[in-house]
Amino acid sequence: MENKPLATLVVVEHDNQSLSADTLRALSAASQIQQDGASLPVTALLVGHQCSSVLNELKCVQGISQIVAAEYQYALAENLSTLIAEVGRDYSHILAPASTFGKNLMPRVAALLDVGQLSDVIAIESLDTVIRPIYAGNALARVRSDDTTKVMTIRSSAFDAVTVSDSPVIENVVTLETVINAEHSEFVSQQKAESERPELPTANVVVSGGRGLGSKENFALVEQLADKLGGAIGASRAAVDAGFVSNDLQVGQTGKIVAPQLYIAVGISGAIQHLAGMKDSKVIVAINSDPEAPIFQVADYGLVGDLFEIMPELLEKV
């Protein structure tokens, strides 16, 4: 085990059509794993079904030394984790985005390899030391791992995306023929919300609504502002639990972590779990009727007042 070569494996997240922005940022994190000032060789593991467009996109990504591709019609966490663990035995570091995809997958990989997991990594200091947030982001921990394989999930909001060239830069593509079937689970169906709006993790502008909006109908105010600003929609956990929007729009410790150029919080008090998901945003605007609301402690601009009076006026002037 001591003779294992130093190399990094990045698990690619995609929708069989295009690469996720989280993957490009995980690849950026991989480039920061260095020895003697040089990045370790990076292999991208692409598992999917009829995803040649993703492969072509991946070939244009800077900093990858080779691509390993496998054709799986239904890549479930149960069988995909086994494949990653088998391929990953030859690597010193295995990375995936800390998205729903990565959070579902990587703990299984770590368990199969009998190692610990380094979760939500926001900085890489050396081959064995990383920085990750704890206590809902109120403190940062420097963690050193002595495991032979370092299994990590990467908080994408902490890294810039790698450069993608206009033409292919990678020729080394290895195709895996092995297919591992999931014994105890099967793919039944997939329901995906279609939206013209940008994805939450990649949007430059995010408008989020909280319990203060009062109803699903009133949430339309948030949607209208997001559409005017060309932004994505987010929500606090309270708004999701109240049924105003679906849980894939939740921002916070148990939802998505975002760091857009502009974050507008409407009727969100700012519980610590919500702040953990958005406090790295470049400019934060808060609209709340309670001047003591915790959201104002992180906001760059605060509007204290009735959101039902402020929002129509704001929509008119934008």
Side-chain angles (χ1 to χ4, degrees):
M1 293 295 278
E2 284 72 21
N3 298 327
K4 179 182 292 196
L6 290 173
T8 304
L9 180 70
V10 176
V11 183
V12 174
E13 180 179 354
H14 60 94
D15 60 1
N16 288 321
Q17 306 296 322
S18 58
L19 279 175
S20 77
D22 289 340
T23 294
L24 295 175
R25 290 168 175 173
L27 286 163
S28 175
S31 70
Q32 296 182 21
I33 305 174
Q34 300 179 346
Q35 185 181 38
D36 302 327
S39 299
L40 301 187
V42 175
T43 297
L45 175 62
L46 172 63
V47 183
H49 177 58
Q50 295 178 352
C51 55
S52 54
S53 59
V54 184
L55 179 60
N56 291 335
E57 200 178 340
L58 204 52
K59 286 178 181 176
C60 299
V61 175
Q62 302 277 4
I64 299 175
S65 51
Q66 75 164 352
I67 299 168
V68 174
E71 172 72 20
Y72 273 55
Q73 185 166 6
Y74 302 122
L76 302 172
E78 288 78 4
N79 56 346
L80 185 50
S81 56
T82 306
L83 175 72
I84 295 166
E86 287 189 5
V87 174
R89 291 182 198 282
D90 297 330
Y91 293 83
S92 57
H93 298 74
I94 306 175
L95 277 62
S99 56
T100 309
F101 167 82
K103 288 175 181 177
N104 187 24
L105 193 58
M106 298 307 273
R108 302 169 191 264
V109 175
L112 289 167
L113 293 172
D114 196 23
V115 298
Q117 177 177 298
L118 300 166
S119 304
D120 244 358
V121 170
I122 62 166
I124 294 169
E125 291 199 336
S126 67
L127 289 170
D128 61 1
T129 306
V130 300
I131 305 290
R132 61 177 298 265
I134 56 174
Y135 302 127
N138 284 297
L140 299 178
R142 178 177 282 108
V143 184
R144 198 190 83 182
S145 168
D146 292 331
D147 288 325
T148 49
T149 304
K150 318 297 192 260
V151 175
M152 302 184 201
T153 58
I154 301 298
R155 179 176 288 196
S156 57
S157 62
F159 296 89
D160 294 326
V162 288
T163 310
V164 180
S165 304
D166 294 329
S167 54
V169 290
I170 304 153
E171 293 177 5
N172 189 0
V173 179
V174 177
T175 305
L176 295 180
E177 299 300 334
T178 4
V179 173
I180 298 165
N181 294 314
E183 292 179 12
H184 304 295
S185 59
E186 62 174 319
F187 181 90
V188 177
S189 66
Q190 186 176 33
Q191 293 180 333
K192 294 184 74 175
E194 297 294 329
S195 174
E196 297 296 316
R197 299 184 184 102
E199 292 283 320
L200 247 182
T202 57
N204 284 323
V205 176
V206 174
V207 184
S208 282
R211 185 166 29 201
L213 283 152
S215 71
K216 190 173 185 175
E217 290 70 34
N218 292 337
F219 212 88
L221 291 167
V222 168
E223 294 171 359
Q224 288 165 28
L225 184 57
D227 290 342
K228 284 205 169 197
L229 297 173
I233 289 173
S236 67
R237 176 161 183 171
V240 169
D241 289 347
F244 299 170
V245 287
S246 62
N247 62 358
D248 60 327
L249 298 180
Q250 184 180 322
V251 172
Q253 189 179 10
T254 53
K256 291 186 169 70
I257 311 288
V258 298
Q261 297 295 322
L262 174 62
Y263 187 89
I264 302 177
V266 182
I268 295 175
S269 61
I272 189 172
Q273 292 84 357
H274 185 77
L275 299 185
M278 46 62 75
K279 65 182 181 184
D280 291 332
S281 305
K282 308 301 179 284
V283 176
I284 299 171
V285 177
I287 301 171
N288 202 290
S289 58
D290 177 10
E292 302 299 318
I295 191 77
F296 289 123
Q297 294 172 14
V298 298
D300 298 288
Y301 301 95
L303 279 169
V304 178
D306 184 345
L307 68 87
F308 297 109
E309 293 174 7
I310 293 170
M311 286 294 283
E313 196 175 338
L314 189 58
L315 284 165
E316 198 179 310
K317 294 191 172 171
V318 168

